[in-house]
Amino acid sequence: MSDFYDVITVGGGPAGLSAAIYAARSGASVAVVESLTVGGVAAATPEIENYPGYESISGYELSQKMSEQAQRLGARIIYGKVEKIRDGQVKRLQLSGGEELTCSALVLAPGSTPRKLGVERESELLGAGLSYCATCDGNFFRGKHVVVAGAGKHAASAEEYLRNIAQKVTVVNPRVTPVTKLIGNPLAAIEISENGTARVIECGGLFVELGYEPSTELVKGFVQTDQAGYVICNERMQTDKAGVFAAGDIVRKPLRQIVTAAADGAIAGQFAAAYAKTR
Ligand SMILES: Cc1cc2nc3c(=O)[nH]c(=O)nc-3n(C[C@H](O)[C@H](O)[C@H](O)COP(=O)(O)OP(=O)(O)OC[C@H]3O[C@@H](n4cnc5c(N)ncnc54)[C@H](O)[C@@H]3O)c2cc1C
């Protein structure tokens, strides 16, 4: 027999945990299914300076606080990867270990991941001079010369944001001038290939702004998405499927941050719990 909950959130990042907090406070029985670590991408962020109420907090600590708060309110955290969802009056979630969970209402919050440059030492230098998010980390590079490696609207908005903060912003389009080497730890320079000739640019930071990949595995073909794969929701964070809500980075929206993920989660959790009560 499968365990039944009023509300299940798929993903235990800021969006899923906020949804759990709001749904649990509405009196719903709640489970959060997380495949890796509670806190999601935020948990791996060394320092967060833009979450209201905290001038500075580590992503790990903020994530732990959100997770503890959700559990104190009665939400259960279940570790496992949701591999398949079957819709219906009762929604059925199949986990990687073969376990099945069922619920009345579902909040999809699997997040998204930044596109990588694909250069050696990229992961090693994350938080040591390399960032995937100008809005998140720009302030740590105040007064420095920074390079934005990116193209299109992502690079343009990062450049605009950083112009007011950095001493100088250099933009390179990796599709035209590939970044071939990351030098120093913390990062002190990058090497690019300009018409086949190597050129070193000294810098205090590198922002990789190639956009994000939504975690579409579960949502594609299940709920309505836009061309890029982001879920389309109404103002109650409801998808085109009854009882299926979405929140956080997986949703089509203009700003992907912890505070916006938490806000989406609050709305989704509240209305998912209300939906479950009508079943
Ligand atoms: C490098 C970096 C730095 C950042 N710094 C900041 C910052 O300083 N301030 C700020 O406000 N924002 C920052 N952000 C953005 C912020 O982290 C995200 O907007 C936020 O984490 C989105 O929350 P989420 O819950 O939607 O998704 P996520 O945090 O991505 O969480 C999604 C969770 O779902 C889980 N999951 C996925 N698929 C499944 C599945 N099938 N089954 C079970 N679980 C699943 C994942 O393991 C993950 O834990 C940063 C982002 C990056 C990449």
Side-chain angles (χ1 to χ4, degrees):
M1 217 181 79
S2 52
D3 284 349
F4 176 84
Y5 296 88
D6 293 326
V7 177
I8 293 181
T9 80
V10 180
L17 291 171
S18 299
I21 289 169
Y22 274 73
R25 292 195 83 230
S26 298
S29 58
V30 182
V32 174
V33 188
E34 170 54 53
S35 56
L36 294 169
T37 322
V38 284
V41 180
T45 306
E47 195 176 357
I48 293 160
E49 283 191 339
N50 56 4
Y51 192 77
Y54 295 99
E55 275 181 30
S56 172
I57 185 165
S58 77
Y60 177 78
E61 194 184 345
L62 183 61
S63 302
Q64 288 304 308
K65 283 180 187 289
M66 288 183 185
S67 165
E68 283 161 16
Q69 190 176 0
Q71 290 180 78
R72 263 201 308 276
L73 289 163
R76 189 177 155 212
I77 311 272
I78 297 169
Y79 286 96
K81 184 173 182 206
V82 177
E83 292 209 314
K84 207 167 176 193
I85 304 171
R86 267 185 294 142
D87 194 27
Q89 277 270 345
V90 167
K91 291 153 200 352
R92 297 182 178 278
L93 281 69
Q94 196 183 310
L95 270 56
S96 38
E99 195 185 343
E100 187 185 70
L101 301 173
T102 55
C103 61
S104 292
L106 194 61
V107 178
L108 300 168
S112 64
T113 47
R115 290 197 189 101
K116 310 283 185 301
L117 269 177
V119 188
E120 230 176 285
R121 298 175 66 235
E122 193 168 344
S123 314
E124 177 194 326
L125 290 168
L126 180 62
L130 186 144
S131 166
Y132 294 100
C133 177
T135 318
C136 312
D137 299 331
N139 199 42
F140 299 121
F141 297 83
R142 193 167 281 279
K144 294 185 177 172
H145 171 209
V146 296
V147 176
V148 172
K153 63 176 186 199
H154 301 287
S157 66
E159 182 193 11
E160 191 187 330
Y161 184 81
L162 293 165
R163 283 237 174 270
N164 299 321
I165 297 169
Q167 173 241 331
K168 184 180 163 193
V169 184
T170 302
V171 181
V172 297
N173 182 342
R175 286 176 198 138
V176 182
T177 46
V179 178
T180 44
K181 226 183 249 173
L182 304 174
I183 301 161
N185 187 354
L187 185 84
I190 64 166
E191 183 190 271
I192 58 169
S193 170
E194 231 166 18
N195 301 319
T197 308
R199 178 160 80 93
V200 172
I201 305 176
E202 286 183 12
C203 59
L206 172 67
F207 288 88
V208 179
E209 295 286 350
L210 296 165
Y212 285 75
E213 287 290 356
S215 305
T216 53
E217 223 174 297
L218 284 174
V219 301
K220 206 171 166 198
F222 180 57
V223 289
Q224 193 190 2
T225 55
D226 67 9
Q227 275 196 333
Y230 291 105
V231 178
I232 298 171
C233 292
N234 66 14
E235 74 279 4
R236 294 183 173 201
M237 304 314 293
Q238 181 153 16
T239 69
D240 61 331
K241 277 225 159 83
V244 181
F245 299 77
D249 280 9
I250 193 65
V251 168
R252 181 172 70 172
K253 60 179 180 179
L255 182 66
R256 295 194 167 81
Q257 290 281 275
I258 299 167
V259 71
T260 59
D264 293 349
I267 298 168
Q270 182 83 8
F271 288 102
Y275 177 88
K277 272 185 203 151
T278 66
R279 296 290 98 192

